[in-house]
Amino acid sequence: MDNILNDEKPRVILGEYKVTQNLPSEPTVLDEKWDLKTFKKRFRVVIVRSEENELEFDLIGIHPFLANTFRRLMLSDVPTMAIEKVHILNNTSIIQDEVLAHRLGLIPLKADPRLFEMKTDPTAEGTEQDTLEFALKIKCTNNKDSSKDSLRAEDMYKNNNVYSKHIKWVPIGKQKERFSDVGPIHPDILIAKMRPGHELDLKLLAVKSNGRDHAKFSPVATAFYRLLPDIKLLREVEGEAAERLQKCFSPGVISIRHEKGRKYAVVANARYDTGSRNVFRYEDLKDAVAMTKIQDHFIFTVESVGALPPDVIFMEAVKILKDKCLALLDELSHV
Amino acid sequence: MDFDDPALLKKPIKEIEEKWKLVPAFLKVKGLVKQHIDSFNYFINVDIKKIVEANNKLVCDADPLFYVKYTNVYVGRPDVDEGFNISKPTTPHECRLRDMTYSAPISVDIEYTRGTQRVSKAGLMIGRMPIMLRSSNCVLTNKSEYELAKMNECPLDPGGYFVVKGQEKVILIQEQLSKNRMIVEESKFGVQCAVTSSTHEKKSRTNVVCKANKYYLGHNSLTDLVPVSIIFKALDVTSDKEICELIGVEDISKLTPTLEECHTLKIYTQLGALKHIGSKLVAKRYVTSASKMKTPVDEARDVLATTVLAHVPVENYNFRMKAIYLGVMVKRVIEAQSDKKFMDDKDYYGNKRLELAGSLLSLMFEDVFKRFNWELKSIAEKTIPKIRATQFDVVKYMRSDLITNCLVYAISTGNWTIKRFRMERLGVTQVLSRLSYISALGMMTRVNSQFEKTRKVSGPRSLQPSQWGMLCPSDTPEGEACGLVKNLALMTHITTDVDEYPLIRLANNAGVVDINMSSGMSIHSPETFFVFLNGNILGTIRNYKKLIHTFRMLRRSGLISGYVSIYPNFLHRCIYISSDGGRLCRPYIIVERGRPLVTQNHIIELEKGIRSFEDFLHDGLIEFLDVNEENDSFIACYEKDITDLTTHLEIATFTLLGVCAGLVPYPHHNQSPRNTYQCAMGKQAMGTIGYNQKNRMDTLLYSLVYPQAPMVKTKSIELTNFDKLPAGQNATIAVMSYSGYDIEDALIINKASIDRGFGRCLVYKNSKCVMKRYANQTFDRIQGPLIDTTTNAPMWKHAVLDMDGIVAPGESVDNKQVLVNKSVPTVSAVPGSQTTSVEYKDTPICYRNNEPSYIEKVLVSTNEEDTTIIKILLRQTRRPEIGDKFSSRHGQKGVVGLVVEQEDMPFNEYGICPDIIMNPHGYPSRMTVGKLIELLAGKAGLVEGKFHYGTAFGGSKVNDVCEELAKHGFNYQGKDFFYSGITGEPLEAYIYSGPVYYQKLKHMVQDKIHARGRGPRAVLTRQPTEGRSRDGGLRLGEMERDCLIGYGASMMLIERLMVSSDQCEVDVCNLCGRLGYCGWCNSCKSSREVSSITMPYACKLLLTELQAMNITARLTLNHYCE
């Protein structure tokens, strides 16, 4: 078994109780000193799946520290806009001012943060460049033209639910010309529930900041990676055991080949295995499989919240890393 | 079907599915706090009438024609007096807000004489009775959810408490030894048989003891022990043979020394015996004219008739019943002397009775009603002889405030003093804890024991097997009250009194021979059984099986109350029938011939709503068993355990736990103390208090911003509605080590989770202010804010005030800002002076807290005395920080040790990073396997999209849960592959992770954080003040001082204990050694030898205080270097 796993790739081996590493037959990214030339030669990016707010791509031939840096930067250093200050002019609903403000802050906003500046002085008045202003003015009333029989709140009252679509953008200065579409990304986020007589009159100020400040500024719902799984069958598994083996993995990982009336398991596509290691439930299958993960092959998943497309978020993260490195070099040169 | 076929009997019984549905059906009828409400209802509807009837006539010595007779009494509906004798119905919530008492008038119909006329009057109010919420007279009973909402009341609130002066008060259940029962126990003289008699008139204790082979009777109205033979003779059993017959022991030689005593004292007749007893009576404290007339013999006869063994009835001085009873007592002592198994166990729960609000209030009411009548009588006696223009009308002297004040005082302070019985109990009532819904519920089921907390006895504290199913085995506090404070189990019911008369008739018809009819010889014959009803001998019977069978049949058919219990005691050869109040009982399914009477069809009918729990009782499928009868039954826990001996079947096993322990998922997998810890902690968890929590104005109220129902529920959770009013959140936890900040149970929390609202809580506090009016027509006033003349804005202290001088809702207030700008007139007690200009002194209500608060709302109202009250509700929103306390539902508490950025948190293959990281060291020693299973079941519930159950002795099976996880591509053990968030590399170990329900506890650093450099000092000693609230110093205590002495750090000691504390420069005269002042010695009249030294001010204070006592302390000074 060891010989199969100790190939040229750096691997982690998923044992029954712990994770171990293999002994690669030749030097890998993990033990090399980082060098631009070799990195360029080896590094590959493969975009696997690209949807509106979700991107799956592979970074191959990269050291974990770098991959992790990108992940960390995406989570907490790429800035976005979010509501930071709420001026409560009137709030007669049952929701407390602070809780309302907190909920409003967590609403993702459609506004390209690259077009804004970070606000330097938090107490200063917001300007066109660093602040977006919104207004939320809504009042719940009795719905006079509803049928008398209905006892559903939606029929009896008007505006009994306050949604993010009720937030209206108030452009400052020339913002109206500069931006076309600004506002909450999702129209149907429930902000508050009201009953007749309740009223909200709020002025909302959104600023630019990053996820380290508060999670609401994070551009991603989550950004993470996993190592590419590699599953090898060490011996042939046939018949009922093959089907059992198939069930131990995610769908599509193991397929069953029929040959001369004989069924046996083969590895089809290990990529989408969830690493559940359920083979270890079966005493007889334990030794049939070697589950490993390739240590320099990262499958990134970036789930954007919607303010920025996921690919842009990644590019921003790279840019931030570049800026940080330049800043460091700059500082070192002054020492 | 042929039931008698033995093969059929041996066949395993099919399990009745969903049998537990009887529990919600039971709770629907009985409710969680039904015992309180039942007891109170019994009091205001039945007992109060009995009390008034027993004391219904009032006559006076001054006028033989005068009398007052109460013909009826009734308690009305709660209302408030709006002034001018107009009252309007009220709601409990209005009383809570306006600091009033939720009470209803007690009205009587009376008949009395005015002069020579006979007058009747109906509906006369004699006082006000605080009304228990949800009792029969409360406005909330039988109201729909909508109606309750209109009254600002939470539909899930259990009721069962009182609102007195705006405070919610619970009368705790009190545990007591049962009254009127013989208890054979070890005493200082050896074996004794004690009876605590209790009737409406008298409470007394009678002992039969054995001293030097003689049997004596002891009683608190007798100064000395009296030989039983003399008592027997006084009870008109004069011949020694008859005495021996009544005692009924075979070995008469045991009685000879006792009988001899009579002969040595030369007492042969009843009169002689009474004379002897008359000489041993305790002198009466109050000698009235009536009692003076009596001779000692008469008095002794009276004492024997009414006080000794007061519960045994004596009619026309026919003492036979009492003599038989005494005989049985002596017999018990003799039996117990030779055989220890005849000793009774005091801690046995069948010997306990629980006193509830109803019985406690009835004691109190009877006492105050007697006092009320006595006062009326003394007024009549004083007033009638006077010659007056108008005729004496007693109605004018009936004041309602005596009864009202007495009841309100008792409930609001918890001091239950009844002078008649020399009863003084403190802490009977407590303020209903509204920290969380569960804490309120838990309080309603609490049972308080009368035992002293300081005594180191293990008996009453330990878990008695007879408590099975009645009291929760887990829910008891730790420490001094451990085992003394208990909690009722889920299905426990407490009985109220049932009328004895039909039972006596029934027993006689069933073959019980009246004790008065049987001869002394026959009563102790080995074939007969004594029949006791509520501690009194009813008679004897030979065919006791028939009697028991008849009683049980009639009970099951509903012809006698379902709470009457009957059981044999073969040791005593007695049949005990109990119908008294305060017995614990719980329902069981009846099993006949090895088959439970409840079948699947019944359950289906129940589910369809055709059948209710009461129908089960009516049809004789289910019956209530009290502790004593439970111990005479064969009860199977499950159908599979049924044998041909089995008489009953448990409805649901999880009901043996109480409300608080019911929250724990998989409690049967935990080490038992952990469940006990959780019972204590569940009461401190923040969450939702009730649907009306936003309308409440409590002094302190915690609530969670985003509470969640637990992923792993239990059936008890659903039954107690905890899932509707939850107190906690489902946190994704990872069991791993992270940094060093997780030692000693500390938790690591994800900052992004906090940002998104995890553990965020609201803290409400209130500030109250009363606007008083004074005798001289002056009153407190409130003024608007002071305006700074230069800026034309209110000064900073008044910045948050509205124009009316009270804070504006929505404002943020800082420390020391004014909430109500109140001022008080300086001269308030000068009557008659009609000065127009009144001087006022500012007494503002200030906000005192270093963290600012927001004003939630302001309430301006009046209370019962018509004085204005202003209540201000303040609100703080807090996010979790380092040091805040969290706990899972398995007694695993911990404080936040570190808040970590999301990117530093480990993440798994799905991109999930945990909310909380918990150190695995928390598991091995605590053995909370239930928590591990909760995590697994919760995780499976997430992937499956359903709630799993962790019900005690049941719940989802680990195997099924694992299978579910594996089905969805998760590791079957719940262990996931994680990557380090810091290095980005895979972690070497698989991490056990998933959702666990976490409670945020009320202990938060913000309320406890304290440090000070310099600050206030106490006036007297000039030492730093003590305590956080006074911004006090941190004490270097004795032990710390010892350390410094041991180390030899003397300069350090001087610095800590003097320089940084109360250093003081004093002048000392070297001539006289006394203290001087300003370099001048006043006794030597010179400044020549005065030198200045530093010493602690406390020392200087001591010297001056000694001087004030005429003791001179002289100081002799030396140079330090010499």
Side-chain angles (χ1 to χ4, degrees), chain B residues 132-143:
Chain B
M132 180 182 278
L133 273 78
R134 310 247 169 169
S135 66
S136 62
N137 283 32
C138 174
V139 291
L140 305 177
T141 29
N142 301 323
K143 289 281 157 59

PDB file of all heavy atoms in Angstrom, chain B residues 132-143:
ATOM      1  N   MET B 132     -55.313  33.683  43.203  1.00  0.00           N
ATOM      2  CA  MET B 132     -54.292  32.963  42.452  1.00  0.00           C
ATOM      3  C   MET B 132     -54.628  33.030  40.969  1.00  0.00           C
ATOM      4  O   MET B 132     -55.791  32.876  40.578  1.00  0.00           O
ATOM      5  CB  MET B 132     -54.260  31.512  42.910  1.00  0.00           C
ATOM      6  CG  MET B 132     -53.236  30.676  42.205  1.00  0.00           C
ATOM      7  SD  MET B 132     -53.287  28.987  42.757  1.00  0.00           S
ATOM      8  CE  MET B 132     -52.328  29.085  44.227  1.00  0.00           C
ATOM      9  N   LEU B 133     -53.615  33.281  40.142  1.00  0.00           N
ATOM     10  CA  LEU B 133     -53.846  33.362  38.709  1.00  0.00           C
ATOM     11  C   LEU B 133     -54.291  32.005  38.172  1.00  0.00           C
ATOM     12  O   LEU B 133     -53.754  30.969  38.556  1.00  0.00           O
ATOM     13  CB  LEU B 133     -52.574  33.833  37.982  1.00  0.00           C
ATOM     14  CG  LEU B 133     -52.475  35.357  37.902  1.00  0.00           C
ATOM     15  CD1 LEU B 133     -52.018  35.925  39.222  1.00  0.00           C
ATOM     16  CD2 LEU B 133     -51.560  35.777  36.790  1.00  0.00           C
ATOM     17  N   ARG B 134     -55.270  32.042  37.309  1.00  0.00           N
ATOM     18  CA  ARG B 134     -55.848  30.859  36.665  1.00  0.00           C
ATOM     19  C   ARG B 134     -56.647  29.998  37.633  1.00  0.00           C
ATOM     20  O   ARG B 134     -56.934  28.842  37.356  1.00  0.00           O
ATOM     21  CB  ARG B 134     -54.778  29.982  35.998  1.00  0.00           C
ATOM     22  CG  ARG B 134     -53.856  30.771  35.102  1.00  0.00           C
ATOM     23  CD  ARG B 134     -54.034  30.409  33.684  1.00  0.00           C
ATOM     24  NE  ARG B 134     -53.318  31.376  32.864  1.00  0.00           N
ATOM     25  CZ  ARG B 134     -53.095  31.252  31.591  1.00  0.00           C
ATOM     26  NH1 ARG B 134     -53.515  30.201  30.967  1.00  0.00           N
ATOM     27  NH2 ARG B 134     -52.466  32.180  30.921  1.00  0.00           N
ATOM     28  N   SER B 135     -56.977  30.526  38.801  1.00  0.00           N
ATOM     29  CA  SER B 135     -57.872  29.784  39.675  1.00  0.00           C
ATOM     30  C   SER B 135     -59.302  30.062  39.232  1.00  0.00           C
ATOM     31  O   SER B 135     -59.526  30.838  38.313  1.00  0.00           O
ATOM     32  CB  SER B 135     -57.669  30.212  41.123  1.00  0.00           C
ATOM     33  OG  SER B 135     -58.079  31.549  41.270  1.00  0.00           O
ATOM     34  N   SER B 136     -60.251  29.449  39.897  1.00  0.00           N
ATOM     35  CA  SER B 136     -61.629  29.524  39.405  1.00  0.00           C
ATOM     36  C   SER B 136     -62.160  30.952  39.398  1.00  0.00           C
ATOM     37  O   SER B 136     -63.023  31.289  38.608  1.00  0.00           O
ATOM     38  CB  SER B 136     -62.534  28.632  40.246  1.00  0.00           C
ATOM     39  OG  SER B 136     -62.519  29.093  41.565  1.00  0.00           O
ATOM     40  N   ASN B 137     -61.642  31.808  40.277  1.00  0.00           N
ATOM     41  CA  ASN B 137     -62.156  33.169  40.324  1.00  0.00           C
ATOM     42  C   ASN B 137     -61.328  34.154  39.513  1.00  0.00           C
ATOM     43  O   ASN B 137     -61.606  35.342  39.507  1.00  0.00           O
ATOM     44  CB  ASN B 137     -62.221  33.657  41.771  1.00  0.00           C
ATOM     45  CG  ASN B 137     -63.397  33.068  42.492  1.00  0.00           C
ATOM     46  OD1 ASN B 137     -63.779  31.941  42.194  1.00  0.00           O
ATOM     47  ND2 ASN B 137     -63.988  33.810  43.390  1.00  0.00           N
ATOM     48  N   CYS B 138     -60.265  33.664  38.868  1.00  0.00           N
ATOM     49  CA  CYS B 138     -59.393  34.565  38.127  1.00  0.00           C
ATOM     50  C   CYS B 138     -60.013  34.867  36.771  1.00  0.00           C
ATOM     51  O   CYS B 138     -60.713  34.029  36.194  1.00  0.00           O
ATOM     52  CB  CYS B 138     -58.027  33.899  37.959  1.00  0.00           C
ATOM     53  SG  CYS B 138     -56.914  34.819  36.937  1.00  0.00           S
ATOM     54  N   VAL B 139     -59.737  36.063  36.275  1.00  0.00           N
ATOM     55  CA  VAL B 139     -60.322  36.429  34.978  1.00  0.00           C
ATOM     56  C   VAL B 139     -59.706  35.636  33.826  1.00  0.00           C
ATOM     57  O   VAL B 139     -60.229  35.624  32.729  1.00  0.00           O
ATOM     58  CB  VAL B 139     -60.164  37.939  34.688  1.00  0.00           C
ATOM     59  CG1 VAL B 139     -61.021  38.749  35.624  1.00  0.00           C
ATOM     60  CG2 VAL B 139     -58.715  38.368  34.770  1.00  0.00           C
ATOM     61  N   LEU B 140     -58.569  35.004  34.092  1.00  0.00           N
ATOM     62  CA  LEU B 140     -57.865  34.347  32.990  1.00  0.00           C
ATOM     63  C   LEU B 140     -58.367  32.938  32.700  1.00  0.00           C
ATOM     64  O   LEU B 140     -58.039  32.368  31.670  1.00  0.00           O
ATOM     65  CB  LEU B 140     -56.364  34.250  33.303  1.00  0.00           C
ATOM     66  CG  LEU B 140     -55.669  35.557  33.646  1.00  0.00           C
ATOM     67  CD1 LEU B 140     -54.225  35.280  33.989  1.00  0.00           C
ATOM     68  CD2 LEU B 140     -55.731  36.513  32.480  1.00  0.00           C
ATOM     69  N   THR B 141     -59.132  32.365  33.628  1.00  0.00           N
ATOM     70  CA  THR B 141     -59.502  30.959  33.430  1.00  0.00           C
ATOM     71  C   THR B 141     -60.466  30.806  32.262  1.00  0.00           C
ATOM     72  O   THR B 141     -61.360  31.617  32.066  1.00  0.00           O
ATOM     73  CB  THR B 141     -60.154  30.361  34.690  1.00  0.00           C
ATOM     74  OG1 THR B 141     -60.802  31.417  35.366  1.00  0.00           O
ATOM     75  CG2 THR B 141     -59.131  29.732  35.587  1.00  0.00           C
ATOM     76  N   ASN B 142     -60.227  29.740  31.542  1.00  0.00           N
ATOM     77  CA  ASN B 142     -61.054  29.365  30.389  1.00  0.00           C
ATOM     78  C   ASN B 142     -61.166  30.471  29.354  1.00  0.00           C
ATOM     79  O   ASN B 142     -62.215  30.703  28.777  1.00  0.00           O
ATOM     80  CB  ASN B 142     -62.467  28.958  30.843  1.00  0.00           C
ATOM     81  CG  ASN B 142     -62.412  27.804  31.794  1.00  0.00           C
ATOM     82  OD1 ASN B 142     -61.579  26.910  31.622  1.00  0.00           O
ATOM     83  ND2 ASN B 142     -63.244  27.822  32.799  1.00  0.00           N
ATOM     84  N   LYS B 143     -60.055  31.178  29.156  1.00  0.00           N
ATOM     85  CA  LYS B 143     -60.066  32.209  28.131  1.00  0.00           C
ATOM     86  C   LYS B 143     -59.274  31.701  26.929  1.00  0.00           C
ATOM     87  O   LYS B 143     -58.340  30.909  27.055  1.00  0.00           O
ATOM     88  CB  LYS B 143     -59.440  33.504  28.667  1.00  0.00           C
ATOM     89  CG  LYS B 143     -60.319  34.208  29.697  1.00  0.00           C
ATOM     90  CD  LYS B 143     -61.432  34.981  29.048  1.00  0.00           C
ATOM     91  CE  LYS B 143     -62.611  35.240  29.959  1.00  0.00           C
ATOM     92  NZ  LYS B 143     -62.312  35.985  31.158  1.00  0.00           N
TER      93      LYS B 143
END
